Amino acid sequence: MQLNLNEIEARRLLHFVFIGNCVINGNNTEANLTMHEALAEKIYALYLTQVKNVPSEEITDNLIAGLRDKIIDETEKFFEAYNDDVLRGGF
């Protein structure tokens, strides 16, 4: 499969991946965590190599963790808005 995304669309895809992973982690079975975490790591690595042009041999767990930390910061506002809606009875 090949996706043609610009940098903004690719970053939004990472938001979906991170949020989806959070939802799956809420269902906390070991099989789900392992299976989905491996796919998330692969997508993060693809972003780094194809969007940020990082050579694949330079992709490390620390580099992926740093990207994930940035995605956490960027998606925090979505979680805050969701929690506010839930507390107000919006869902």
Side-chain angles (χ1 to χ4, degrees):
M1 179 177 85
Q2 183 173 345
L3 296 174
N4 293 314
L5 304 173
N6 64 37
E7 187 168 353
I8 293 169
E9 292 168 328
R11 196 64 171 211
R12 288 179 183 154
L13 176 61
L14 295 184
H15 293 169
F16 282 123
V17 168
F18 176 75
I19 292 168
N21 218 17
C22 288
V23 170
I24 288 168
N25 285 340
N27 187 19
N28 210 357
T29 65
E30 189 61 37
N32 279 345
L33 293 176
T34 302
M35 178 177 53
H36 291 91
E37 188 61 35
L39 180 56
E41 298 288 318
K42 184 177 182 177
I43 293 170
Y44 294 141
L46 284 170
Y47 174 84
L48 290 169
T49 58
Q50 295 185 11
V51 176
K52 293 300 187 180
N53 299 314
V54 176
S56 58
E57 60 272 5
E58 293 181 20
I59 302 294
T60 63
D61 290 342
N62 286 339
L63 193 58
I64 290 174
L67 174 59
R68 189 182 316 108
D69 287 345
K70 290 177 185 173
I71 298 301
I72 289 169
D73 292 342
E74 292 171 10
T75 57
E76 187 174 14
K77 64 182 175 203
F78 301 122
F79 285 106
E80 288 172 359
Y82 174 78
N83 286 334
D84 289 347
D85 283 344
V86 168
L87 291 174
R88 285 194 309 261
F91 282 95

